[in-house]
Amino acid sequence: MPYDEDLANRVRDLIGREPGIGEKRMFGGLALMLNGNMAVVIRGAGGLMVRVDPALSEQLLTEHGAQPAQMRGRPMRGWITVEPSACAKDADLRRWVNQGVTYTRCLPAK
């Protein structure tokens, strides 16, 4: 299933001017990279996958539409999936994208 191009464009509008941003198709979606590290993924299954500070994961998982990210049935520490309904509003999308970009800025460049 292809990713939601409208959602991808909304995310691009939010972080397009951020230095070090790139894009890469992967996992059936579109990954937005910051200095070579994935920050936000527009999922082929809909919604987002967002890199977050692992110390904040439990708190963020209490928010509407947030679920632990899984890869091949295993939880991915430091990643959260966000349902499409939880990023439909611009303010909600901005908050989730900011979570991903803010944490990824702290990682060493690849």
Side-chain angles (χ1 to χ4, degrees), residues 25-41:
R25 290 179 184 251
M26 54 177 40
F27 308 123
L30 180 68
L32 283 104
M33 318 285 280
L34 178 59
N35 298 322
N37 295 296
M38 284 191 299
V40 178
V41 178

Side-chain angles (χ1 to χ4, degrees), residues 9-54:
N9 286 332
R10 290 174 61 215
V11 172
R12 286 179 183 118
D13 287 345
L14 290 171
I15 63 174
R17 293 179 188 93
E18 179 80 26
I21 287 292
E23 296 182 5
K24 188 173 184 179
R25 290 179 184 251
M26 54 177 40
F27 308 123
L30 180 68
L32 283 104
M33 318 285 280
L34 178 59
N35 298 322
N37 295 296
M38 284 191 299
V40 178
V41 178
I42 295 84
R43 301 175 62 222
L48 302 174
M49 186 168 74
V50 180
R51 177 172 254 158
V52 298
D53 182 340

Side-chain angles (χ1 to χ4, degrees), residues 101-108:
V101 170
T102 298
Y103 182 67
T104 305
R105 269 192 212 118
C106 300
L107 301 174

